[in-house]
Amino acid sequence: MSWLLAFLGFAALIILHEAGHFAAAKAVGMRVERFALFFPPLLARRRRGETEYAIGAIPLGGYVKITGMNPAEEIPPEVAHRAYFRQPVWKRIVVIGAGPAVNIVLAFVIVTGYLQAYGAPEYRVTNQVEALATNGASVGVLRLGDRVVAVDGVRGGPDKLREQVSRHTCAGTPENGCLASSSALVTVERDGRQQSFRIAPVYSAADERPLLGFTYGAERYFVPVGGIGEAITTSADYLWYVTTTTVDRLAGIFTDAEKRKEISGVVGTYEATRQSFELSADRAILLLAVISLSLGIINLFPFLPLDGGHIFWALAEKLRGRAIPFSVMERSGFIGFALVIALFAIGLTNDIGRLTGEGFDVR
């Protein structure tokens, strides 16, 4: 079921994005030839009036085909006055900007409604063992789901227990990977009863302390949000944070290896959404809101074939006072297309790495 729900969530975001273009084009009098979910080859199509509605076979997006998007195309004389490039600049900007605007407004509405319904999600670390490090000291001793009760008889939260583990040091000057000279007595609750194990911590130079080789889990809780005014303010702050983070990561993909690793593509985004639906519907709803916002932001980047590229050249025409030569936009389109392909390749490579490695953190 999670596969279907993730698919429907993605399809809804695409349909609403294209519906923004479609509705705006119709409103300003442009001729819409096709409204398509996904890319060709087309699997199904149906004509209603002058517009063909279709479903494609490649689920990587959708499109609205408006007569005259290409200045060089041949247009029947009876519809030439409704062609895209024969319209005033403001109409073209309205039509192109409507798609990203729908995604951004949708994200804001979803997050505001989410905060009113659930509250603001927060996380706190628990004493439960969530993951074991490969070849860590606890492998073969502790199990996922164990709840750490005490270390050397000292009870408390994860911070206090880590402090106690740090008392077990290596002999002499600690070096990365050295074994502590004494073992820690780790008491856990497993299957309703307490058990104790002796585990010798291993020193980690990166963490600058001895480790037992496991990760504590986290539990989610909700902080109530006041009235609608506070929900709107919190939503705006959160979405602004997502916006600046998205722009920062995308701007650094060719210069910063760490930011490049954080990029996800269609495959990874879909898988994260699917896993979110398996955890809880509210997680998936919030993630879809973030995806909707990101879809709107990325589409506003000022290079073709993205929406922002069309807006950029429309504004350039307005400032220039006459049409931009099609050859100039065509060359620009090649560069933009290459950037989009590069971004897609980076995202896909990262997605494959996560699918075969550390997985997706959807908590």
Side-chain angles (χ1 to χ4, degrees):
M1 180 60 74
S2 62
W3 295 93
L4 177 60
L5 292 174
F7 174 81
L8 292 176
F10 267 69
L13 294 182
I14 294 169
I15 289 172
L16 290 170
H17 177 95
E18 300 305 332
H21 293 311
F22 176 83
K26 289 286 190 180
V28 299
M30 295 185 191
R31 180 172 180 262
V32 180
E33 297 180 24
R34 178 181 293 160
F35 183 112
L37 173 63
F38 306 147
F39 294 123
L42 300 181
L43 300 176
R45 61 178 77 188
R46 181 167 185 162
R47 179 168 295 279
R48 284 181 174 272
E50 65 182 8
T51 304
E52 179 182 74
Y53 300 86
I55 298 177
I58 303 176
L60 295 177
Y63 64 97
V64 170
K65 184 180 180 183
I66 301 172
T67 299
M69 285 292 291
N70 181 343
E73 74 177 88
E74 294 186 10
I75 304 171
E78 64 272 16
V79 296
H81 65 287
R82 300 175 61 197
Y84 175 83
F85 269 107
R86 303 236 179 148
Q87 306 303 310
V89 168
W90 73 266
K91 287 188 177 182
R92 283 181 262 160
I93 292 176
V94 166
V95 170
I96 297 302
V102 167
N103 285 125
I104 294 170
V105 171
L106 177 65
F108 180 77
V109 170
I110 290 175
V111 174
T112 301
Y114 179 96
L115 293 172
Q116 284 280 281
Y118 297 100
E122 299 286 349
Y123 291 88
R124 54 182 164 229
V125 180
T126 69
N127 285 40
Q128 192 171 46
V129 176
E130 184 178 77
L132 295 169
T134 305
N135 299 322
S138 296
V139 172
V141 182
L142 300 185
R143 299 177 186 173
L144 301 183
D146 285 348
R147 188 174 69 85
V148 183
V149 176
V151 174
D152 299 328
V154 176
R155 295 172 177 263
D159 288 340
K160 190 165 187 177
L161 298 180
R162 289 191 189 101
E163 182 182 342
Q164 183 60 33
V165 171
S166 295
R167 298 178 182 276
H168 296 270
T169 59
C170 300
T173 303
E175 297 182 356
N176 189 54
C178 70
L179 202 64
S181 56
S182 60
S183 297
L185 181 63
V186 182
T187 303
V188 302
E189 184 178 289
R190 179 186 298 172
D191 299 328
R193 62 191 185 91
Q194 292 189 4
Q195 301 181 51
S196 295
F197 305 94
R198 287 206 169 271
I199 306 173
V202 176
Y203 183 78
S204 168
D207 295 277
E208 298 183 340
R209 61 185 177 87
L211 302 176
L212 291 177
F214 69 87
T215 302
Y216 286 107
E219 64 179 3
R220 192 171 60 143
Y221 65 99
F222 293 96
V223 177
V225 175
I228 185 65
E230 185 178 345
I232 290 173
T233 302
T234 304
S235 176
D237 290 341
Y238 174 69
L239 294 179
W240 178 248
Y241 167 76
V242 174
T243 299
T244 54
T245 302
T246 300
V247 173
D248 178 66
R249 288 177 180 174
L250 290 175
I253 59 174
F254 296 111
T255 58
D256 191 321
E258 291 304 313
K259 290 179 181 178
R260 191 158 54 246
K261 291 177 183 177
E262 295 174 352
I263 299 296
S264 282
V266 176
V267 175
T269 306
Y270 177 85
E271 177 61 16
T273 305
R274 185 193 68 77
Q275 292 183 19
S276 294
F277 271 113
E278 288 186 340
L279 290 172
S280 65
D282 72 275
R283 280 184 172 92
I285 290 170
L286 190 58
L287 180 56
L288 284 172
V290 172
I291 294 170
S292 182
L293 177 67
S294 299
L295 182 61
I297 294 167
I298 292 170
N299 263 287
L300 286 175
F301 271 61
F303 50 82
L304 295 171
L306 300 179
D307 294 333
H310 291 284
I311 294 173
F312 173 82
W313 287 112
L315 290 172
E317 179 182 322
K318 185 68 174 177
L319 292 173
R320 186 170 184 256
R322 60 183 187 275
I324 304 295
F326 180 63
S327 59
V328 174
M329 289 191 291
E330 195 171 35
R331 286 193 294 271
S332 169
F334 286 135
I335 297 172
F337 186 74
L339 290 172
V340 172
I341 292 298
L343 181 61
F344 177 84
I346 292 170
L348 181 60
T349 301
N350 290 342
D351 292 343
I352 292 173
R354 295 185 185 105
L355 286 169
T356 58
E358 74 271 19
F360 298 87
D361 183 5
V362 298
R363 291 183 307 174

